[in-house]
Amino acid sequence: MDVFSAMGVFVRVVDLKSFSLAAAELEISSSSVSKQIAHLEQHVGARLLQRTTRRLNVTEIGSAYYEQCQKIISQVEESENLVSQLQGKPQGVLRINCNMTFGQLLLSKAVPEFMEAYPDIKFDITLEDGDVDLVRDSFDLALRITHPQLPDSSHIAREVASIPMYICGSPKYLELKGCPKVPQDLKQHNCLIFMLASNTNSWVLNGKDGRETVQVTGDLKANNGLLVREAVLAHRGLACLASFVIERFVEAGQIKVLFPEYEPERLSLYAIYPDRKYTSPKVSLFIDFFKAWLADNLHQEFLL
């Protein structure tokens, strides 16, 4: 039995809380997963997992062993990263976790170009919103849009791009309800709220007299920017959305950006990765590539 390989299988079973999900991710059969866990338990002389038809529980010994397995796997990966650095040839699988909408609209376009340039690097990408544990979930890199000031963390965070947030609406809605002239007019409108944006229902504009924040309300709240955009296109109200979410609809005249005399609030896209002694060349290479790619492809200003 390959003990190190079995450790990797064990870690993924615990992370995913499922033999079948671990088997699918590792591209092996469920029976192979079961056999490796059984052999590992026999090797260490202790029960690591308690499995029933409905649940999978980690024993006390299994929990302690899991933590040690994680450390061992991390150390091996760092050793391989060091060798890769010294060889100067980025390779292997790059595991990325990214915000859902940003991943669908921008990351999805950049990755094929990167793969064309660096065929020795493969990708394993998960799109989801919310927090992620990079170490526990075995991600090399997370891409997150948030305020320019990140909270303190044990991870390294590199700012990759600035994301302008525009207040906008459809021409038909503005014709029916009137176009707000100053930020405080937004209080009289149905404002559609993107819940995962850091500004949520406090929309910010920067004018010649300084920063102005408006508390807005409306009949729709959603945790997906594309859903909010569709409501804007259906003439339901106004929204504050990222430039990359509305760009092609602004250009087509289906969405109008408001308050041209104000500077929109800007959020930051961060590349976040574990603070390790050796950063994998594939991580550094992709971040540098993606930063340059976004500089060429991320619309910063609309011609209003």
Side-chain angles (χ1 to χ4, degrees), residues 207-249:
K208 60 182 181 180
D209 296 323
R211 180 184 178 95
E212 194 162 353
T213 302
V214 184
Q215 296 291 322
V216 297
T217 59
D219 60 7
L220 173 67
K221 291 183 179 181
N223 68 347
N224 183 276
L226 299 183
L227 192 154
V228 174
R229 185 189 68 190
E230 291 306 306
V232 171
L233 290 169
H235 324 300
R236 290 296 309 159
L238 306 180
C240 184
L241 293 169
S243 58
F244 64 87
V245 174
I246 61 174
E247 176 179 359
R248 68 184 179 95
F249 297 93

Side-chain angles (χ1 to χ4, degrees), residues 116-130:
E116 182 70 23
Y118 303 97
D120 291 328
I121 297 180
K122 300 179 181 179
F123 281 83
D124 184 342
I125 299 174
T126 298
L127 301 184
E128 63 181 347
D129 295 313

Side-chain angles (χ1 to χ4, degrees), residues 262-275:
Y262 287 83
E263 174 72 18
E265 181 182 20
R266 288 179 178 271
L267 304 182
S268 291
L269 172 69
Y270 282 96
I272 304 168
Y273 50 97
D275 185 3

Side-chain angles (χ1 to χ4, degrees), residues 9 49 73-74 97 122 146-147 196 231 253 265:
V9 172
L49 300 170
I73 292 170
S74 177
N97 187 289
K122 300 179 181 179
T146 183
H147 274 302
L196 289 182
E265 181 182 20

Side-chain angles (χ1 to χ4, degrees), residues 168-180 189 238 256 258:
C168 60
S170 72
K172 183 176 179 180
Y173 173 87
L174 296 171
E175 181 182 345
L176 292 172
K177 302 296 184 179
C179 186
H189 286 266
L238 306 180
K256 179 178 175 60
L258 306 179

Side-chain angles (χ1 to χ4, degrees), residues 100-139:
M100 182 71 72
T101 300
F102 183 83
Q104 289 174 302
L105 297 181
L106 288 178
L107 182 64
S108 62
K109 297 177 182 178
V111 165
E113 293 186 24
F114 182 87
M115 296 177 75
E116 182 70 23
Y118 303 97
D120 291 328
I121 297 180
K122 300 179 181 179
F123 281 83
D124 184 342
I125 299 174
T126 298
L127 301 184
E128 63 181 347
D129 295 313
D131 296 330
V132 60
D133 188 321
L134 296 180
V135 176
R136 183 196 66 198
D137 297 329
S138 301
F139 287 111

